[in-house]
Amino acid sequence: MKPNEQTDISIQNVSKIFRTGFGLKKTGVNGLSLEVPRGQVVGLLGPNGSGKSTTIKMIMGFLKPTAGSMTVCGHAVPSKISRSFIGYLPENPRFPKFLSGKSLLQFYGGLLSLRGKALAHRIEFLLDLVNLRWAANEKVQGYSKGMTQRLAIAQALLNEPRLLIFDEPMSGLDPLGRKDIRKLIAEVHRELPEATIFFSSHILEDVEQLCSSVALLKKGRLKTFCKVEELLKVEAQRFDVAVKHDSTTETKSLTGTQELVTFLNEAKNKGYLVMGISSHRTSLEEALFKDETVLSGAPL
Ligand SMILES: Nc1ncnc2c1ncn2[C@@H]1O[C@H](COP(=O)(O)OP(=O)(O)OP(=O)(O)O)[C@@H](O)[C@H]1O
Ligand SMILES: [Mg+2]
């Protein structure tokens, strides 16, 4: 897809090499090309150190690519205009602790030149959306990690951005907290269907439930960019079937539903007893993070 109005993030062959002193270099991102279509929820998935934050910081204009180019909503990065389309949630949001949640949103709204009734209405809407109305007048100092994350999402949404970029929105949360933020992102997508959401995570479950497509990074390189269904197909295709015959139990690993059906028919004809069938979701996660590319990646 060529960069156009339907593309909110366009990354063209971007690399980032860090100079780490004594003439040493470290590769953050290596020859990355990616197009994020408008209005979609796209996940940037990869293990620690795979280049997720580096990619996001380059889109934000905080880091300058060593090579390649990027546009945001059709505008070259970095530029004031490209930045103006984005609502950003950093990896570890930090806020002035002495402010209440509400006054913090007022403060950040002021920085975005929002004032008066428009700002007041926006803050009311956002406090409801992120479910923080009950703590709006409490100091941020007393907020839990999950509450801080919710407030940070509200802050990212202040100026009604067309593009939301969240760097590890579920990081540092326990499983229930993660689920909570997943629910919130789904809600943001429902409430603001026009907005494109691009967020990073190293946990497959986070992205498979929320995203239409997933970009998988490994050691700074794009391994796959495909629809979530493509990822889930791989998962569904791996089955372990335990059968019993002549008082011995044997486990057979099968790839694909067709193979499974054929095997089950054979087993039935031979009078084998099927003891159990399982599909392994961990195998997908392991497969994704292995060195080889596991998916061809249907282009969007
Ligand atoms: N400022 C920097 N100086 C030197 N190397 C860096 C710098 N920032 C990132 N890197 C290196 O670039 C690579 C990618 O880092 P990055 O922070 O983008 O990964 P990540 O996918 O966001 O990881 P995590 O899941 O831990 O947040 C790593 O090897 C990291 O050490
Ligand atoms: Mg990171």
Side-chain angles (χ1 to χ4, degrees):
M1 202 193 292
K2 285 259 168 294
N4 58 33
E5 282 165 18
Q6 297 307 314
T7 307
D8 270 0
I9 304 173
S10 173
I11 301 176
Q12 309 284 329
N13 211 6
V14 161
S15 295
K16 178 69 192 175
I17 315 284
F18 294 103
R19 290 177 192 284
T20 50
F22 306 107
L24 296 172
K25 292 174 181 175
K26 195 158 194 189
T27 304
V29 169
N30 196 344
L32 176 66
S33 295
L34 195 64
E35 305 285 329
V36 176
R38 183 149 193 210
Q40 288 207 18
V41 184
V42 174
L44 184 62
L45 185 68
N48 293 136
S50 55
K52 302 182 297 294
S53 296
T54 304
T55 303
I56 286 177
K57 285 175 190 161
M58 287 191 287
I59 298 169
M60 294 302 299
F62 301 151
L63 286 175
K64 191 173 178 292
T66 313
S69 62
M70 302 188 166
T71 61
V72 163
C73 303
H75 297 273
V77 175
S79 61
K80 235 184 177 168
I81 178 133
S82 68
R83 180 67 186 82
S84 71
F85 288 103
I86 307 174
Y88 172 58
L89 174 75
E91 206 167 14
N92 294 303
R94 274 172 233 270
F95 294 127
K97 300 268 183 216
F98 53 88
L99 290 176
S100 71
K102 192 169 183 170
S103 37
L104 190 130
L105 292 177
Q106 281 160 345
F107 172 72
Y108 279 94
L111 294 181
L112 293 163
S113 308
L114 301 169
R115 332 222 165 278
K117 272 199 178 144
L119 177 59
H121 283 147
R122 187 74 187 153
I123 290 176
E124 293 308 306
F125 168 78
L126 291 173
L127 285 173
D128 281 337
L129 182 68
V130 303
N131 197 11
L132 272 182
R133 177 176 290 286
W134 61 278
N137 296 318
E138 283 176 28
K139 280 191 182 151
V140 172
Q141 204 163 23
Y143 277 25
S144 69
K145 173 84 184 154
M147 288 162 75
T148 307
Q149 213 61 348
R150 288 169 168 278
L151 184 66
I153 290 176
Q155 182 254 317
L157 287 165
L158 269 168
N159 61 340
E160 300 183 44
R162 167 166 152 185
L163 171 61
L164 290 165
I165 298 186
F166 296 165
D167 195 357
E168 299 256 2
M170 294 88 166
S171 82
L173 299 171
D174 62 20
L176 270 181
R178 299 189 83 85
K179 209 171 151 195
D180 227 27
I181 296 291
R182 277 206 298 267
K183 256 172 71 185
L184 174 58
I185 295 177
E187 178 122 1
V188 169
H189 184 49
R190 257 198 312 278
E191 284 287 326
L192 311 163
E194 302 282 292
T196 305
I197 305 179
F198 183 67
F199 75 95
S200 67
S201 176
H202 57 276
I203 297 192
L204 176 67
E205 206 184 350
D206 291 341
V207 296
E208 71 171 20
Q209 293 183 7
L210 287 168
C211 300
S212 46
S213 321
V214 175
L216 177 67
L217 280 184
K218 183 81 203 282
K219 294 182 184 157
R221 284 184 179 276
L222 184 70
K223 299 298 283 184
T224 299
F225 186 32
C226 67
K227 303 231 179 259
V228 164
E229 300 91 82
E230 297 292 318
L231 284 186
L232 299 182
K233 251 192 231 161
V234 173
E235 179 179 57
Q237 279 171 352
R238 291 163 171 259
F239 299 103
D240 280 345
V241 184
V243 287
K244 195 170 180 179
H245 57 95
D246 306 326
S247 53
T248 53
T249 304
E250 170 187 356
T251 303
K252 181 114 178 141
S253 279
L254 300 155
T255 321
T257 39
Q258 194 50 53
E259 226 178 79
L260 176 70
V261 170
T262 310
F263 178 78
L264 289 176
N265 278 333
E266 263 175 35
K268 195 177 155 201
N269 291 339
K270 289 180 183 165
Y272 291 1
L273 189 62
V274 177
M275 307 293 286
I277 305 172
S278 56
S279 72
H280 297 280
R281 76 170 303 120
T282 47
S283 66
L284 173 62
E285 210 145 51
E286 279 161 17
L288 285 176
F289 293 135
K290 263 201 317 213
D291 272 341
E292 312 84 62
T293 308
V294 290
L295 297 163
S296 56
L300 293 166

